[in-house]
């Protein structure tokens, strides 16, 4: 008969073996469940991409055949498959605070930051000429993510849907593991406002009290990321006030970017940023985000319809002097007559914030449309055949789909198309002071790209940018 000590030892050994087998079984079951759910998620996303048409999806990183997962921790397994490392760290800039042309610039800066911080960057949704979480269209709707990845080969990008998938999978793992001895802590989040704040003389980074009026669109990530529930998410709040001198020159940006990297090198899993900065954050300014192929194809179709020879006009009426607009229109007419005669160009393409599809302007910040505006456009149309993205049936397939109606009623994807068509124009002109908004990032982006092409010996472009003159009634 075995002694009590031997019986106790045997029971202890059996219990340990059972626990090891149970743990192993749980891990195996988790892996089967994870692979299955992951497979169905990818299939569903691929199906959605096909239905959207022309959407490039960046898949999660796939482990190479040489990669071996040595951990039995299901959360680490999830992170390794999703982020390529046992702990996922994200940079999620959920608001860029500017329309597309500037948001394009800012996204590049934050991609540089993601690379420096070794964080996965979330591809924030787009729509209405913006990049922010309140929009419903995927990042791919505007941009070519394959080319973006080539611009930033060391950055892993994930869509908002991918991020939600990770949050939900993490929740499932928590439910499984929290029944045992190991408890997964709440999400660790740093929420930071980066803003241009010219009152201070130097950049200031500081902790602040919890923000009670968070952007309501963040609720789309609940309950998995609930910033007001301490049992779900552990949140720290900071603000960085940035002065214009911090970002004015290449040297100052170099100094500032080192400070930015230093203060944001943190342990939190999620770096959540609300950004409103007006300039690049790093000394090196990366090329513009590449647009999706279907938008480029639409621009080419318009160029072909214009017989590949046309004058591009950008007339942003916002901030013009309404009573001056008839003289502005007459000055534009005279300039067009002169250019068409000297350069032998017969076609005209107009990019404008004047209403084209409805009574509302094509800009969210331009609402006071008067009879002066209508008269100016009437003068132009009565003198020339004026082509626009509407008259030339640009983006026609998207316009036929009712789910994109909101995108075309204000600033939206048509602004990108206008930009590309003006870049491709043989001759490009824009409005003078009093007739249009002069400090337009949109116009500046067109001119910069045209300058680059001319420097590369693109002989189809006859100028970078000219501004027409206001008609002088005293002559």
């Amino acid at each position: 008969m075995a002694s009590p000590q031997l019986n106790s030892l045997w029971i202890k050994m059996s219990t340990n073996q059972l626990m090891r087998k149970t743990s192993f079984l749980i891990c195996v079951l988790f892996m089967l469940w994870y692979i299955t759910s992951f497979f169905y998620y990818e299939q569903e996303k691929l199906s959605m991409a096909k239905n959207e048409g022309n959407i490039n999806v960046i898949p999660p990183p796939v482990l190479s055949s040489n990669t071996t997962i040595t951990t039995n921790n299901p959360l680490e397994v999830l992170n390794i498959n999703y982020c390529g490392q046992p702990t996922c760290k994200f940079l999620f800039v959920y608001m860029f605070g500017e329309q597309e042309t500037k948001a394009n610039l800012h996204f590049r800066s934050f991609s540089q930051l993601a690379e420096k911080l070794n964080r996965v960057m979330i591809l924030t949704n787009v729509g209405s000429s913006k990049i922010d979480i309140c929009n419903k269209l995927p990042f791919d709707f505007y941009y070519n993510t394959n080319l973006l990845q080539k611009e930033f080969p060391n950055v892993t990008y994930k869509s908002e849907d991918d991020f939600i998938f990770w949050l939900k999978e993490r929740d499932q793992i928590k439910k499984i593991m929290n029944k045992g001895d190991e408890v997964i802590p709440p999400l660790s989040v740093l929420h930071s406002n980066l803003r241009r704040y010219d009152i201070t003389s130097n950049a200031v980074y500081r902790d602040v009290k919890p923000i009670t009026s968070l952007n309501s669109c963040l609720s789309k990530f609940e309950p998995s990321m609930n910033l007001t529930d301490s049992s779900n998410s552990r949140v720290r709040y900071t603000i960085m006030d940035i002065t214009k001198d911090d970002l004015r020159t290449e040297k100052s940006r170099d100094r500032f970017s080192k400070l930015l990297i230093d203060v944001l090198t943190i342990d939190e899993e999620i770096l959540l940023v609300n950004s409103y900065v007006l300039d690049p954050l790093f000394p090196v300014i990366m090329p513009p985000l590449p647009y999706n192929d279907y938008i480029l194809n639409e621009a080419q179709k318009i160029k072909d319809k214009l017989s590949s020879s046309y004058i591009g006009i950008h007339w942003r009426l916002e901030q013009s002097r309404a009573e001056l607009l008839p003289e502005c229109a007459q000055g534009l007419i005279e300039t067009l007559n002169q250019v068409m005669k000297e350069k032998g160009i017969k076609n005209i393409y107009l990019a404008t914030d004047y209403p084209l599809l409805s009574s509302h302007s094509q800009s969210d910040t331009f609402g006071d449309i008067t009879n002066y505006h209508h008269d100016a456009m009437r003068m132009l149309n009565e003198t020339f055949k004026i082509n626009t993205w509407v008259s030339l049936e640009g983006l026609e397939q998207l316009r036929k789909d009712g789910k994109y109606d909101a995108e075309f009623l204000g600033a939206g994807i048509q602004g990108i198309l206008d930009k590309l068509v003006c870049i491709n124009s043989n001759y490009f002109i824009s409005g003078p002071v009093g007739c249009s908004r002069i400090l337009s990032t949109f116009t500046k982006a067109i001119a910069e790209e045209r300058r680059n092409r001319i420097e590369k010996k693109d002989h189809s472009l006859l100028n970078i940018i000219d501004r027409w003159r206001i008609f002088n009634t005293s002559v």
Side-chain angles (χ1 to χ4, degrees), residues 254-267:
D254 180 58
R255 182 170 56 251
F256 171 80
S257 62
K258 291 175 181 176
L259 170 65
L260 186 66
I261 294 167
D262 181 56
V263 299
L264 295 182
T265 300
I266 54 175
D267 292 329

Side-chain angles (χ1 to χ4, degrees), residues 40-190:
Y40 281 115
Y41 168 75
E42 286 301 304
Q43 292 291 27
E44 182 180 356
K45 190 166 70 171
L46 183 59
S47 175
M48 290 174 60
K50 289 179 179 178
N51 291 334
E52 291 286 345
N54 305 303
I55 302 297
N56 301 318
V57 178
I58 297 182
V62 178
L63 294 177
S64 69
S65 57
N66 297 326
T67 304
T68 303
I69 298 178
T70 58
T71 179
N72 289 329
N73 184 314
L75 181 59
E76 291 183 354
V77 173
L78 169 69
N79 291 341
I80 290 171
N81 276 286
Y82 189 86
C83 302
Q85 50 194 13
T87 300
C88 280
K89 287 191 173 185
F90 299 96
L91 171 60
F92 191 174
V93 186
Y94 67 89
M95 293 290 289
F96 282 86
E98 291 276 359
Q99 290 198 348
E100 193 279 325
T101 302
K102 277 211 167 182
N104 187 311
L105 173 65
H106 300 156
F107 190 92
R108 290 173 257 156
S109 285
F110 282 103
S111 287
Q112 291 170 286
L113 180 62
E115 180 175 1
K116 297 295 184 182
L117 298 177
N118 191 27
R119 285 182 173 266
V120 174
M121 185 164 183
I122 302 301
L123 297 170
T124 313
N125 281 358
V126 300
S128 300
S129 191
K130 293 182 179 179
I131 306 176
D132 67 54
I133 58 166
C134 292
N135 290 302
K136 297 180 180 180
L137 299 170
F139 188 86
D140 314 63
F141 185 68
Y142 284 178
Y143 304 107
N144 186 323
T145 50
N146 293 327
L147 293 180
L148 171 66
Q149 188 68 77
K150 290 182 179 179
E151 289 285 348
F152 296 95
N154 298 321
V155 179
T156 298
Y157 291 101
K158 297 292 180 181
S159 69
E160 280 194 23
D161 286 344
D162 291 330
F163 182 63
I164 290 173
F165 170 78
W166 179 83
L167 290 171
K168 289 182 176 179
E169 295 299 289
R170 189 180 187 279
D171 273 358
Q172 292 298 320
I173 295 171
K174 284 173 64 177
K175 291 176 182 178
I176 295 172
M177 296 184 68
N178 286 351
K179 292 179 180 178
D181 295 330
E182 188 169 0
V183 176
I184 298 179
L187 281 170
S188 56
V189 181
L190 173 66

